[in-house]
Amino acid sequence: MSKELNYKIETLSLLNQLTLSLSNSIIINKNEDETRFVVNRFNASETISFFFNAPISDFDFDGDEIAFYNFAEFFQLISVFKDPKITQDLNKLIISKNNSKIKYVLSDSEIISKGPKGFEISEDANCEFELNAEELKNLGKMIGLVSAEKANIKVNNGKLTITLCNETHENTFDKEFTTITSDGEDFAFNIPSEIFTTIPSGNYKVMIFKDGLVMLEYKSTNVSLKLLVGEISND
């Protein structure tokens, strides 16, 4: 039995931006009360993970889960038409507009690796700051200009500095940010610089934990997106 799906293209576009850079293959699940859909994934090196959920009305697929081997491919297909109708028919999605239609075959969730189930952080961040869309764009630009492979996170005397660097040459870029909160502890560690070039454009609240963890929370009224980035070695 087929079902016409409601969807919000802006929400699917945001998910597409994540999958393009972090994980093309995804499994979309419903939460326990089926009010939201959930996508949790790692990147290939498992240094970055994202936890995404949105109202089920933004993509009200049939069943408990739906799997895409290449979500970006699906998004390209629904972008062919303006405001197409999407109909789910068993393991297929039919994308149609007027007298044209595209058949997209869904994937078997068993062949796609499972993402993280979730996360719990029991302690407060040692430092927090706001990263706006323009600052994120500038960091991405400078990563390219200095060929940065790492981003050094340094907190000293309540001041936060992010240094973009590359081990093969001495070119660096430093940016100091105003902190919202800081507990006064000094620490430093490296994270992969790709986090600033792969996350969707937007405004983020960033929480830094001295043990080598950074959490970025996307600021939105209806979509929840959190990304966790782990420390990488100095080698």
Side-chain angles (χ1 to χ4, degrees):
M1 183 175 175
S2 62
K3 173 188 175 182
E4 183 177 346
L5 306 187
N6 295 307
Y7 67 93
K8 188 174 182 180
I9 194 66
E10 294 83 2
T11 300
L12 297 184
S13 176
L14 184 63
L15 182 57
N16 178 58
Q17 291 176 62
L18 286 165
T19 63
L20 275 172
S21 54
L22 296 174
S23 176
N24 257 338
S25 299
I26 62 171
I27 301 171
I28 304 178
N29 298 101
K30 292 177 180 174
N31 66 353
E32 288 186 5
D33 60 7
E34 299 190 354
T35 58
R36 300 181 74 84
F37 71 87
V38 179
V39 184
N40 299 338
R41 302 299 293 167
F42 291 114
N43 67 340
S45 61
E46 296 192 2
T47 53
I48 300 172
S49 55
F50 71 82
F51 304 83
F52 178 98
N53 72 75
I56 197 66
S57 57
D58 287 6
F59 191 46
D60 66 341
F61 59 91
D62 195 27
D64 295 329
E65 65 179 25
I66 191 170
F68 296 84
Y69 185 75
N70 187 336
F71 186 82
E73 180 182 67
F74 166 71
F75 188 79
Q76 283 183 318
L77 293 175
I78 64 173
S79 301
V80 169
F81 308 122
K82 183 179 180 180
D83 302 323
K85 180 170 75 172
I86 303 176
T87 304
Q88 185 175 353
D89 185 5
L90 299 176
N91 70 330
K92 298 182 292 292
L93 295 179
I94 310 300
I95 305 156
S96 59
K97 184 69 179 284
N98 298 328
N99 296 323
S100 301
K101 67 179 180 180
I102 300 168
K103 180 178 72 174
Y104 181 85
V105 179
L106 295 164
S107 297
D108 181 352
S109 62
E110 294 299 320
I111 68 172
I112 297 176
S113 62
K114 307 298 182 186
K117 291 185 177 181
F119 69 94
E120 291 184 10
I121 297 177
S122 58
E123 57 188 46
D124 293 334
N126 299 94
C127 178
E128 297 182 4
F129 75 101
E130 301 279 352
L131 178 65
N132 64 44
E134 187 63 27
E135 291 168 331
L136 176 60
K137 180 180 177 180
N138 289 337
L139 284 174
K141 179 181 178 181
M142 293 310 302
I143 285 169
L145 290 175
V146 302
S147 300
E149 298 171 343
K150 300 178 182 180
N152 179 260
I153 308 294
K154 182 178 180 180
V155 178
N156 183 259
N157 290 326
K159 294 182 179 180
L160 167 67
T161 304
I162 296 179
T163 301
L164 305 175
C165 50
N166 186 316
E167 294 298 319
T168 59
H169 56 63
E170 296 182 356
N171 295 343
T172 61
F173 171 75
D174 293 348
K175 169 70 175 176
E176 188 173 301
F177 291 89
T178 301
T179 58
I180 304 171
T181 62
S182 176
D183 64 3
E185 288 207 52
D186 296 343
F187 58 89
F189 58 86
N190 295 322
I191 61 172
S193 62
E194 68 178 293
I195 184 62
F196 299 116
T197 58
T198 57
I199 60 176
S201 176
N203 301 317
Y204 290 83
K205 179 181 179 181
V206 185
M207 289 146 276
I208 304 173
F209 301 84
K210 66 179 182 180
D211 293 333
L213 182 69
V214 176
M215 182 169 77
L216 299 93
E217 184 174 3
Y218 182 77
K219 302 183 78 172
S220 169
T221 54
N222 69 320
V223 172
S224 172
L225 169 60
K226 294 180 181 179
L227 300 105
L228 294 181
V229 191
E231 179 180 9
I232 57 175
S233 69
N234 290 316
D235 299 333

